[in-house]
Amino acid sequence: MTKANTLGETEDLQENLRRLTHLLHKHKLVEGLVHTQQMPRQELVEALVHKQNLAELQNLLDRLHPADVAHILEAMPLEDRLMIWELVKAERDGEILLEVSDAVRETLIATMDSGEMLAATGQLDADEIADLAPDLPRDVMEDVFQSLPMEEREQLRAAMSYPEDAVGALMDFDVVTIREDVTLEVVLRYLRRLDELPDHTDQLFVVDRDEHLKGVLPVNRLLVSDPDATVGSVMAKEMVKLHPSDNAHQAAQAFERYDLVSASVVNAEDKLIGRVTVNAVMDFIREQAESEALNLAGLREEEDLFAPVWKSLKNRWTWLAINLVTAFIASRVIGVFEDSIEKLVALAALMPIIAGIGGNSGNQTITMIVRALALGQLNAGNARKLFAKEIGVSAVNGVVWGSVVGLFAFFIYGSGSLGLVMTLAMMLNLLLAALLGVLIPLTLHKLGRDPAAGSSVMITAVTDSGGFFIFLGLATLFLV
Amino acid sequence: MTKANTLGETEDLQENLRRLTHLLHKHKLVEGLVHTQQMPRQELVEALVHKQNLAELQNLLDRLHPADVAHILEAMPLEDRLMIWELVKAERDGEILLEVSDAVRETLIATMDSGEMLAATGQLDADEIADLAPDLPRDVMEDVFQSLPMEEREQLRAAMSYPEDAVGALMDFDVVTIREDVTLEVVLRYLRRLDELPDHTDQLFVVDRDEHLKGVLPVNRLLVSDPDATVGSVMAKEMVKLHPSDNAHQAAQAFERYDLVSASVVNAEDKLIGRVTVNAVMDFIREQAESEALNLAGLREEEDLFAPVWKSLKNRWTWLAINLVTAFIASRVIGVFEDSIEKLVALAALMPIIAGIGGNSGNQTITMIVRALALGQLNAGNARKLFAKEIGVSAVNGVVWGSVVGLFAFFIYGSGSLGLVMTLAMMLNLLLAALLGVLIPLTLHKLGRDPAAGSSVMITAVTDSGGFFIFLGLATLFLV
């Protein structure tokens, strides 16, 4: 019995290793590092698979970057994931938890006791703990607070007080500050006394006694300037200053436009309280793009690939329910015209064409407008021009595609008047799609709502019900 | 007459200024810079509007960052855009052309003669000229080549030889190289002889006589280490090395995972040929996310907001044509069952519900799978698990939503058997959606195609035609 168990375990391990190898292999997991001086990872893992050695697997995991371990964990079904998670050295738990997706983080934290969670946060900075905080139990967070020195406790409290899309949530506190009146030589000596500089230190922040931000000294300028010059004479006085309550989206735009690596964050009194770095911004941009793509498809949030069925359902139901309601409405619109359909059954076969193409065209318009709104390129001044353009596009589309579907109807059913009704309905539905494709996102924007979130459902609802109504209505008037 | 003209021009100018103010105002154009030491931009522009002074508008434009000028140009209707473009100092043309979207760049270049284009490229590095090259006439590019010194000519040729999604297209040539055997003191003195360091210089590249890359010296390490130490003893030997033919998508993943600011690019002989910086990567990520969003909505490429109608049509027609074909097919599927619909007209009103919800559910599945494929999280090992999960989700959805639509049909039409057929059809179509929602992207991926591009059209086509067939087929079997 014991033997069988041992064997079974070995097989499990082998299977896990096989998967890990496969992952590392096939999906070129650590692409960026493949060309390092090290022994290539794949050979390493193959060797491990041969020896079937748990200790070496652990060894390999220890040598992987936390982000790579996170990636492996995300790609593993639950039981394998937890097995790998057990092998990861405890002192790296915190860093890895930071890197995994929210959904996967939940599954990992579920296996940890309070002590382990507390230990995991012990390796992290205040701003990083703030990122984990929503997933930790309240009593653990209280212990975490107690364990921090006063300054970090204040930082953690500050970092946790900002909504996810505020600059405060992207901010860290790793700023190196210097005074205006010292020479660069002094700065260089001061830096040499430090063990290391914080990641992404491309500039030092020049502050006065009260922490007011006076300027920034780019490291590149420090390196090329005369060491006898003073900081004040070399520093840049024009700089990007963010406020913790600023919208993170706008901070990201500043990073993209001005090619920043870091930017200062100051409070209302212009005192330096932290900085934002490009890696935090890049993560933010990626997350925004992802959640936009997910929302478009009707997924509420990122889903653990191997989430249990009921969790997936929760993630998907809101959208399906909303769509069901719009489908019911469209169905009742058709229901009104059942007499006409009974008399001319071709209408039933043709009506989805009108609705479908209208929806496609409307979604094209909406995507354009939502994008222009996000980039701040739309305003009262040019909205009219845009409106005219979209109407023009839909008019041409109406004539062209309307004729195509009209001919289709004529060839299938041999009725010229049916073809004409088809053409007219197509033109009108495309016009409706263009009108509302501009109006819906503009209105949502004016009401302070996110136009990206609901526009697509609404336009589809309108072009479906509207398309059915226009086509069946025209047919009832002219054909039946 | 002259007076009227002058007046007219003044009014135009005023209108332009009004719009510019409005833009700067309302859309907080230069968000990141709003908190600089400068006089706030809005007041400045308001003052300008009062004076109606062309020279001052020009002055303002000259003081804006090229990226901000680019943004203003993108948000302006064509005639205003070209008016602003005329005011921009010629020596900034190149930088601004780099920042505007492809579509807008085309409109700006159309107003320039060969001499102006040549002058614009004169301010740019080889890698930047390569970005503009596709939009410049062939004869201008030949002049550009002639005007470059030998080394840059080679760089330009190299940069132009890579496809848009290769590391080579993101690469620049601004590398600072040092030797292994010198002390840090010597490095510091060497740097001080330079006027400035290239942007985003977070590390110096350590090469031997033949340009072989031996390691990197992070600037932060240079600053904290003993000046008497040699480069060889301080440098990092483990580093990310990219090859110019590597996929840019994977380079971007490396930047995101390892929080890089720059990374070396080496050729097959391990010789340093350039570097990639985080700002190029961030632009790439943004462009990728944008073009994905556009493609999803059926737009071939980014559109100039104020593009003429015919240009917009070209951008949108492929998608509409494909959808029309799938709509025709669905229409013919319905056509087969016209007899049944004639006998039981309720079928016409109910059938769009089955098709619609199937399409929504299928798109949810596809989005999950496409995302997992893009992140390299899907492989032969876990595909089966994922398949099982999606089938599970669709089974529960089928029972729940199937019952809801069944009840809906029962209450509207008072027929229990019609309700049952509705429920059964919904279950089957959701199952079909789940099956193909997994299979379509996996198959496209296996064939080496981009699963994000065509998956959504295909699943909708299947759930439409399939949904109609299943529902009408079942109804014909059991009800008619």
Side-chain angles (χ1 to χ4, degrees):
Chain A
M1 205 49 184
T2 313
K3 201 171 175 194
N5 251 345
T6 317
L7 261 177
E9 270 173 36
T10 314
E11 270 163 37
D12 266 7
L13 175 61
Q14 212 172 345
E15 171 66 359
N16 280 318
L17 279 169
R18 196 189 61 69
R19 279 189 188 147
L20 193 54
T21 323
H22 194 83
L23 263 176
L24 290 165
H25 245 266
K26 276 275 160 105
H27 298 283
K28 297 183 189 146
L29 191 66
V30 280
E31 213 62 36
L33 280 179
V34 165
H35 316 296
T36 59
Q37 313 279 1
Q38 286 196 308
M39 177 178 175
R41 251 174 201 72
Q42 13 190 112
E43 289 173 31
L44 211 71
V45 185
E46 264 163 26
L48 284 184
V49 175
H50 270 295
K51 295 195 198 159
Q52 299 166 17
N53 190 328
L54 192 65
E56 285 200 46
L57 173 58
Q58 183 154 27
N59 192 8
L60 170 65
L61 285 171
D62 287 347
R63 283 156 59 194
L64 286 176
H65 190 284
D68 292 329
V69 178
H71 186 260
I72 293 177
L73 291 170
E74 287 178 358
M76 293 261 168
L78 196 60
E79 65 230 77
D80 300 349
R81 181 186 297 162
L82 299 183
M83 180 260 185
I84 298 270
W85 182 232
E86 283 304 311
L87 287 180
V88 173
K89 280 249 165 33
E91 67 263 29
R92 307 219 304 162
D93 282 3
E95 282 172 295
I96 294 167
L97 284 177
L98 274 182
E99 299 277 355
V100 293
S101 68
D102 289 354
V104 171
R105 184 186 297 157
E106 232 175 83
T107 67
L108 298 179
I109 286 182
T111 69
M112 299 169 77
D113 61 34
S114 316
E116 286 171 327
M117 289 187 234
L118 189 60
T121 61
Q123 317 134 15
L124 302 179
D125 291 338
D127 62 297
E128 295 170 328
I129 298 177
D131 291 342
L132 290 189
D135 295 322
L136 295 176
R138 182 185 285 265
D139 56 317
V140 171
M141 274 313 291
E142 266 166 31
D143 292 345
V144 170
F145 263 110
Q146 297 306 323
S147 71
L148 289 178
M150 188 61 87
E151 192 193 353
E152 281 191 53
R153 209 181 292 181
E154 280 317 304
Q155 290 175 345
L156 176 54
R157 217 183 302 272
M160 284 176 63
S161 68
Y162 297 105
E164 242 182 72
D165 60 349
V167 163
L170 302 186
M171 174 173 69
D172 70 57
F173 304 98
D174 297 334
V175 289
V176 180
T177 58
I178 51 176
R179 292 269 184 279
E180 197 171 352
D181 51 2
V182 300
T183 64
L184 300 189
E185 180 64 43
V186 172
V187 172
L188 287 169
R189 264 187 290 148
Y190 165 66
L191 295 181
R192 237 166 254 145
R193 279 208 303 262
L194 304 173
D195 287 337
E196 55 174 359
L197 297 183
D199 283 345
H200 295 90
T201 298
D202 70 320
Q203 54 186 358
L204 311 175
F205 298 99
V206 185
V207 296
D208 66 14
R209 241 163 242 287
D210 300 319
E211 301 287 320
H212 291 115
L213 185 60
K214 314 301 282 183
V216 291
L217 178 62
V219 166
N220 286 351
R221 221 183 265 189
L222 169 65
L223 286 171
V224 299
S225 302
D226 178 5
D228 294 328
T230 62
V231 168
S233 68
V234 176
M235 73 183 188
K237 284 183 186 132
E238 262 201 49
M239 71 208 117
V240 174
K241 287 184 191 174
L242 303 169
H243 290 156
S245 56
D246 282 352
N247 191 318
H249 178 66
Q250 286 162 346
Q253 279 190 343
F255 269 77
E256 287 185 68
R257 275 202 208 145
Y258 311 124
D259 294 341
L260 307 176
V261 172
S262 72
S264 62
V265 182
V266 296
N267 66 12
E269 291 102 55
D270 208 34
K271 289 188 186 182
L272 181 69
I273 52 176
R275 60 166 194 167
V276 172
T277 58
V278 67
N279 57 322
V281 169
M282 201 148 66
D283 288 349
F284 175 79
I285 292 177
R286 171 67 74 189
E287 274 163 29
Q288 289 290 99
E290 290 246 311
S291 88
E292 206 174 288
L294 292 175
N295 288 341
L296 260 181
L299 296 157
R300 228 178 25 172
E301 56 184 28
E302 210 178 341
E303 209 173 275
D304 177 358
L305 259 189
F306 304 98
V309 167
W310 64 268
K311 276 216 163 173
S312 297
L313 289 170
K314 255 177 46 189
N315 196 27
R316 304 184 188 187
W317 272 8
T318 320
W319 179 264
L320 288 179
I322 293 172
N323 275 289
L324 202 60
V325 172
T326 68
F328 282 165
I329 296 172
S331 169
R332 290 321 302 146
V333 170
I334 301 172
V336 173
F337 296 99
E338 273 174 7
D339 286 349
S340 307
I341 295 174
E342 213 157 16
K343 286 179 198 137
L344 185 58
V345 74
L347 299 180
L350 293 173
M351 65 188 185
I353 299 177
I354 304 289
I357 303 299
N360 291 144
S361 178
N363 272 302
Q364 289 181 333
T365 302
I366 277 207
T367 302
M368 288 284 305
I369 306 287
V370 166
R371 190 176 157 279
L373 282 172
L375 293 175
Q377 292 183 335
L378 250 183
N379 53 55
N382 59 23
R384 233 172 321 138
K385 273 222 147 123
L386 207 68
F387 216 77
K389 174 192 154 192
E390 288 300 327
I391 299 293
V393 170
S394 80
V396 179
N397 271 340
V399 172
V400 174
W401 302 112
S403 307
V404 174
V405 299
L407 285 173
F408 175 82
F410 174 72
F411 280 120
I412 301 281
Y413 297 100
S415 154
S417 50
L418 180 60
L420 280 178
V421 164
M422 205 49 193
T423 304
L424 191 57
M426 188 68 144
M427 289 171 67
L428 288 176
N429 202 28
L430 286 179
L431 212 61
L432 181 70
L435 272 169
L436 287 161
V438 177
L439 279 183
I440 290 175
L442 280 185
T443 310
L444 286 175
H445 182 71
K446 217 164 205 168
L447 297 176
R449 304 271 306 277
D450 175 12
S455 289
S456 181
V457 207
M458 287 170 75
I459 192 78
T460 310
V462 168
T463 51
D464 271 5
S465 293
F468 291 141
F469 182 81
I470 290 169
F471 176 58
L472 297 175
L474 287 175
T476 305
L477 280 178
F478 297 115
L479 300 179
V480 183
Chain B
M1 204 51 183
T2 312
K3 202 170 173 195
N5 252 343
T6 317
L7 262 176
E9 271 173 36
T10 314
E11 268 162 37
D12 266 7
L13 175 62
Q14 212 173 343
E15 171 67 357
N16 281 318
L17 280 168
R18 198 189 59 68
R19 279 188 188 148
L20 193 55
T21 323
H22 195 83
L23 262 175
L24 290 165
H25 244 267
K26 276 277 160 108
H27 297 284
K28 298 180 190 154
L29 192 66
V30 280
E31 213 62 36
L33 280 179
V34 165
H35 315 297
T36 58
Q37 314 280 359
Q38 285 194 307
M39 179 178 173
R41 250 170 203 72
Q42 12 191 113
E43 289 174 30
L44 212 69
V45 185
E46 265 164 26
L48 285 184
V49 176
H50 270 295
K51 296 194 199 159
Q52 299 166 17
N53 189 327
L54 193 66
E56 284 200 46
L57 173 59
Q58 183 156 26
N59 192 7
L60 170 65
L61 285 171
D62 287 347
R63 282 157 57 194
L64 286 176
H65 190 284
D68 292 329
V69 178
H71 187 261
I72 293 178
L73 291 170
E74 287 179 358
M76 293 261 167
L78 195 59
E79 64 230 77
D80 300 348
R81 181 185 298 160
L82 298 182
M83 181 261 185
I84 298 271
W85 182 231
E86 283 304 311
L87 287 179
V88 172
K89 278 249 164 36
E91 67 262 28
R92 306 217 309 162
D93 283 2
E95 282 171 293
I96 294 166
L97 283 177
L98 275 181
E99 300 277 355
V100 294
S101 69
D102 289 355
V104 171
R105 184 185 299 156
E106 232 175 84
T107 66
L108 299 179
I109 286 184
T111 68
M112 301 170 77
D113 61 33
S114 315
E116 286 171 328
M117 290 187 231
L118 189 60
T121 63
Q123 317 134 12
L124 303 178
D125 291 336
D127 61 295
E128 295 170 330
I129 298 176
D131 292 342
L132 290 189
D135 295 321
L136 296 176
R138 184 186 284 264
D139 57 317
V140 171
M141 275 313 291
E142 267 165 32
D143 292 344
V144 170
F145 262 110
Q146 297 306 323
S147 72
L148 289 177
M150 188 60 90
E151 192 194 352
E152 281 191 52
R153 207 180 294 181
E154 280 317 304
Q155 290 174 346
L156 176 53
R157 217 184 299 273
M160 284 177 62
S161 68
Y162 297 105
E164 242 183 72
D165 60 349
V167 163
L170 302 185
M171 174 172 69
D172 69 58
F173 303 98
D174 297 334
V175 289
V176 179
T177 59
I178 52 176
R179 292 267 185 278
E180 196 171 354
D181 51 2
V182 301
T183 63
L184 300 188
E185 180 63 45
V186 172
V187 173
L188 287 169
R189 264 186 290 147
Y190 165 66
L191 294 181
R192 235 166 256 148
R193 280 207 306 263
L194 303 174
D195 287 337
E196 55 173 359
L197 297 183
D199 283 345
H200 296 90
T201 298
D202 69 321
Q203 54 187 358
L204 311 175
F205 298 99
V206 185
V207 296
D208 66 15
R209 243 163 241 287
D210 300 318
E211 300 287 320
H212 290 116
L213 185 61
K214 313 301 283 183
V216 290
L217 177 63
V219 166
N220 287 350
R221 221 183 268 189
L222 169 65
L223 285 171
V224 299
S225 302
D226 178 5
D228 294 328
T230 62
V231 167
S233 67
V234 176
M235 72 183 188
K237 285 183 185 130
E238 262 200 51
M239 71 207 118
V240 174
K241 287 184 191 175
L242 303 169
H243 290 156
S245 57
D246 284 351
N247 191 318
H249 178 66
Q250 285 160 347
Q253 280 190 342
F255 269 78
E256 286 184 68
R257 273 201 210 146
Y258 311 125
D259 294 341
L260 307 176
V261 172
S262 71
S264 62
V265 181
V266 297
N267 66 11
E269 291 101 55
D270 208 33
K271 288 186 186 182
L272 181 70
I273 52 176
R275 60 166 194 166
V276 172
T277 57
V278 67
N279 57 321
V281 169
M282 202 148 66
D283 288 350
F284 175 78
I285 291 176
R286 170 69 72 189
E287 274 164 28
Q288 289 289 99
E290 290 245 311
S291 89
E292 206 173 287
L294 293 175
N295 288 341
L296 261 181
L299 297 157
R300 229 177 24 170
E301 56 184 28
E302 208 178 341
E303 209 172 277
D304 177 358
L305 259 190
F306 304 98
V309 167
W310 63 268
K311 276 217 163 172
S312 296
L313 289 170
K314 255 176 49 188
N315 196 26
R316 305 185 187 186
W317 272 9
T318 320
W319 179 265
L320 289 179
I322 294 173
N323 275 290
L324 201 61
V325 172
T326 68
F328 283 165
I329 296 173
S331 170
R332 290 322 301 145
V333 171
I334 301 171
V336 173
F337 296 100
E338 275 174 6
D339 287 350
S340 307
I341 295 174
E342 214 158 14
K343 286 178 198 137
L344 186 59
V345 75
L347 298 181
L350 293 174
M351 66 188 184
I353 300 176
I354 304 288
I357 302 300
N360 291 144
S361 176
N363 272 304
Q364 288 181 333
T365 302
I366 277 205
T367 302
M368 287 284 305
I369 306 287
V370 166
R371 189 177 160 278
L373 282 171
L375 292 176
Q377 291 183 335
L378 249 182
N379 54 54
N382 59 22
R384 232 172 322 138
K385 274 223 147 119
L386 207 67
F387 216 77
K389 174 191 154 193
E390 288 300 327
I391 298 294
V393 170
S394 81
V396 179
N397 271 340
V399 172
V400 174
W401 302 112
S403 307
V404 174
V405 299
L407 286 173
F408 175 81
F410 175 72
F411 279 118
I412 301 281
Y413 297 100
S415 154
S417 51
L418 179 60
L420 281 178
V421 163
M422 209 43 197
T423 304
L424 191 56
M426 188 68 143
M427 288 170 68
L428 288 176
N429 202 29
L430 286 179
L431 211 60
L432 181 70
L435 271 169
L436 287 161
V438 177
L439 280 182
I440 290 174
L442 280 185
T443 309
L444 286 175
H445 182 71
K446 219 166 204 164
L447 297 176
R449 303 271 305 277
D450 175 13
S455 290
S456 180
V457 207
M458 287 171 75
I459 193 77
T460 309
V462 168
T463 51
D464 270 7
S465 292
F468 293 142
F469 182 81
I470 291 170
F471 177 58
L472 297 175
L474 287 175
T476 306
L477 280 178
F478 297 115
L479 301 179
V480 184

